Amino acid sequence: MKTSHFPIFTLKDIPSEAELISHKLMIKSGIVRQLSSGLYTWLPLGHRILEKIKKIIREEMNSIGSTEITMPLIQPAELWKESGRWDEYGPELLRINDRHEREYCFGPTFEEVITDLIRKEVSSYKQLPINLFQISTKFRDEIRPRFGVMRAREFVMKDSYSFHNNEECLNNAYKNYAAAYEKIFKRLMLDFTTVEADSGNIGGNESHEFHVIADTGEDDLLLDKSSQGMNFEIAKTKYGENDLQKIIKENDLKHVKGIEVGHIFKLGDKYSSKMKAEITTKESKKINLLMGCYGIGVSRIVAAAIEQNNDDKGIIWPSSISPFDIALIEIDGHKDKSIRDFTTTIYKKMKELNIDVIYDDRDSKLGSKLTDWELIGIPTLAIIGSKEVKNNVVTLKNRIKDTKIEITIENLLDKFL
Ligand code: ATP
Ligand code: MG
């Protein structure tokens, strides 16, 4: 990719309306722009980051046998009336009428739609278990959209659903999803913890949340010495507010803040019983399907990763989700053909090797190019000017260590193989 085909929308100043560092840096570095309250356009850089996160999630979902589908964003009210959530869900559910005055809503979550699909397609225990997922836009009319994409109204979520004919099978799937989530958050290089959680208005009997640890998080968590966490609200209910003080002290529990990036639920027959999603067992008995659901806040992860990885120059991307692995920064390439040719040769070799490279071929000063790429947070910058061309090297700048070294092209390419 060359900047001549990949517009960079960095800003000089930090927007005053943004409170969180992630929100400020996402706007300043040109990852998102706000369209309206809680609605964001993902610019080319942001789009690439989202795609990298989605790829990791897809790989881990596929590895536990979950298969991708796509469901419509607009959902008919009848299904929500069947489950009882048309009345329960409240004003976060954005309701609309079509031209025939039929009622619909924008999907905040998809339990009803998927249960309807499965009850129509699956009738026998022989067809189970079934594990499906989608990565799509969800809409929740949040009362206070804030912190940029952290709490948006329209956001990207990965949601999986599993269907079973017995508890043991559901329990196994739940364990597999929990393990896959741990792998996903490790691959995303996030400092996170898993906590026992409340199942909220999604419902069900067992539930865990995955939290990125950050002082700016909205959730209160208790961590033990091995970093095993517990949701503060759950701890209060479990031990009572008075005893909880005592318990924190006796076990030395640490109070930290978390950003919820994933949530899994054992739903059991909560939806299947209301929506009559039944199957026939081996013994020719009709039973309600058992169900699990598993969400990841894809767009929220972008903000959470920035909360954990930034400095006074800008973002420092974990290598697994950096929009590019390396930026080639030429000095005066537009004036000096030898510099442009040298950089182009390296660029082409990198493309052949499938290295995720951005070639900054803009006609601007080295200082402003460096400021941009350090703000954007690319892990490795390769600077190429007349000195480098003469010595047949590039100058490598490491974003985290802030070191500069000269390196031959062969050694540079070897680093990525
Ligand atoms: P929260 O408690 O933060 O409002 P939730 O518990 O209502 O979230 P879930 O129904 O568990 O959310 O949805 C699954 C995931 O989707 C969450 O773990 C979170 O990462 C993400 N998510 C939920 N609401 C939003 C939002 N308004 N903006 C961005 N991501 C969100
Ligand atoms: Mg949740």
Side-chain angles (χ1 to χ4, degrees):
M1 204 71 72
K2 292 184 181 180
T3 46
S4 41
H5 305 134
F6 188 92
I8 301 290
F9 297 103
T10 50
L11 301 176
K12 282 224 158 55
D13 298 312
I14 289 185
S16 58
E17 77 275 11
E19 287 173 60
L20 291 195
I21 188 69
S22 58
H23 189 192
K24 290 178 184 168
L25 290 175
M26 284 179 83
I27 296 174
K28 192 166 187 232
S29 66
I31 291 176
V32 288
R33 286 291 180 266
Q34 184 173 333
L35 171 68
S36 174
S37 171
L39 306 178
Y40 289 87
T41 296
W42 290 78
L43 299 171
L45 269 179
H47 183 80
R48 274 185 89 85
I49 300 159
L50 279 180
E51 289 306 310
K52 293 224 166 167
I53 297 172
K54 288 181 194 173
K55 181 168 182 281
I56 290 175
I57 294 175
R58 279 197 176 100
E59 285 170 5
E60 295 304 333
M61 286 297 98
N62 289 333
S63 81
I64 57 163
S66 201
T67 305
E68 191 162 3
I69 57 168
T70 302
M71 293 183 267
L73 172 62
I74 307 289
Q75 309 183 1
E78 288 77 41
L79 292 180
W80 284 72
K81 287 179 182 169
E82 269 191 72
S83 74
R85 287 206 294 181
W86 188 255
D87 295 325
E88 281 166 20
Y89 209 92
E92 267 185 33
L93 191 65
L94 184 63
R95 297 151 213 253
I96 43 169
N97 285 6
D98 71 5
R99 60 169 72 195
H100 307 291
E101 288 305 316
R102 282 191 291 244
E103 293 173 302
Y104 290 86
C105 63
F106 281 87
T109 173
F110 281 69
E111 285 76 16
E112 283 81 358
V113 174
I114 194 117
T115 304
D116 180 58
L117 176 84
I118 297 299
R119 72 180 166 182
K120 287 173 179 154
E121 302 299 327
V122 176
S123 54
S124 159
Y125 73 94
K126 288 182 191 161
Q127 292 164 279
L128 298 174
I130 285 181
N131 284 274
L132 300 170
F133 77 97
Q134 67 171 351
I135 302 179
S136 67
T137 299
K138 311 292 187 288
F139 191 95
R140 295 182 183 180
D141 202 357
E142 297 275 353
I143 185 164
R144 273 183 70 203
R146 58 193 169 139
F147 308 145
V149 301
M150 196 80 91
R151 184 167 297 285
R153 294 198 295 166
E154 194 176 294
F155 58 95
V156 184
M157 193 208 287
K158 184 285 299 180
D159 44 328
S160 316
Y161 304 88
S162 70
F163 294 89
H164 314 269
N165 66 344
N166 64 61
E167 287 280 346
E168 195 190 341
C169 189
L170 169 60
N171 291 343
N172 267 339
Y174 190 84
K175 272 194 209 130
N176 287 342
Y177 278 99
Y181 274 36
E182 303 250 338
K183 274 197 196 156
I184 289 167
F185 296 122
K186 276 189 191 139
R187 286 183 64 184
L188 295 171
M189 298 162 136
L190 297 169
D191 178 16
F192 71 97
T193 185
T194 312
V195 303
E196 207 183 305
D198 181 15
S199 34
N201 63 12
I202 309 259
N205 23 27
E206 193 180 342
S207 164
H208 286 85
E209 287 169 353
F210 297 79
H211 285 265
V212 164
I213 315 278
D215 290 343
T216 47
E218 290 187 284
D219 291 284
D220 290 287
L221 310 175
L222 293 173
L223 289 191
D224 69 15
K225 283 191 192 111
S226 59
S227 285
Q228 180 56 51
M230 185 187 277
N231 189 311
F232 209 83
E233 289 308 308
I234 296 257
K236 262 199 231 163
T237 329
K238 210 168 183 170
Y239 303 112
E241 240 171 287
N242 294 340
D243 283 346
L244 182 63
Q245 287 327 75
K246 217 167 101 202
I247 284 172
I248 290 178
K249 266 198 191 137
E250 279 169 9
N251 301 283
D252 236 19
L253 296 172
K254 217 164 87 184
H255 180 184
V256 295
K257 292 279 188 180
I259 300 169
E260 185 192 319
V261 288
H263 200 165
I264 60 176
F265 306 78
K266 258 186 220 175
L267 296 169
D269 69 353
K270 178 178 154 81
Y271 292 87
S272 59
S273 60
K274 290 197 171 133
M275 296 180 67
K276 302 211 168 28
E278 297 177 328
I279 46 137
T280 312
T281 64
K282 213 174 187 170
E283 296 77 28
S284 306
K285 248 176 53 191
K286 285 233 186 251
I287 59 160
N288 290 327
L289 275 167
L290 297 181
M291 184 174 170
C293 78
Y294 318 88
I296 292 187
V298 179
S299 45
R300 184 179 282 181
I301 285 173
V302 179
I306 297 173
E307 286 296 318
Q308 279 191 345
N309 300 284
N310 66 75
D311 65 9
D312 53 0
K313 289 181 182 164
I315 302 165
I316 305 171
W317 283 111
S319 54
S320 59
I321 50 173
S322 177
F324 295 101
D325 295 331
I326 182 165
L328 296 182
I329 304 174
E330 62 173 20
I331 312 170
D332 289 341
H334 60 293
K335 289 187 199 154
D336 184 334
K337 190 169 174 314
S338 68
I339 294 172
R340 176 117 323 162
D341 289 349
F342 188 78
T343 316
T344 303
T345 308
I346 301 172
Y347 173 68
K348 283 190 177 155
K349 280 194 182 143
M350 288 192 156
K351 295 289 284 180
E352 275 165 27
L353 294 169
N354 279 330
I355 297 167
D356 242 344
V357 54
I358 178 84
Y359 172 4
D360 190 342
D361 57 353
R362 289 176 297 174
D363 161 11
S364 41
K365 292 262 181 301
L366 174 65
S368 78
K369 288 187 180 189
L370 279 178
T371 304
D372 269 359
W373 292 110
E374 284 175 340
L375 165 67
I376 290 166
I378 307 301
T380 309
L381 309 180
I383 303 164
I384 299 153
S386 52
K387 183 185 79 180
E388 282 77 12
V389 173
K390 198 169 134 228
N391 299 335
N392 202 20
V393 292
V394 301
T395 299
L396 269 200
K397 194 156 194 263
N398 183 297
R399 175 69 182 84
I400 302 170
K401 296 184 202 145
D402 204 22
T403 51
K404 260 190 189 175
I405 53 160
E406 282 190 357
I407 181 173
T408 63
I409 314 308
E410 290 69 34
N411 287 347
L412 172 65
L413 297 177
D414 274 351
K415 273 182 175 288
F416 292 93
L417 297 180

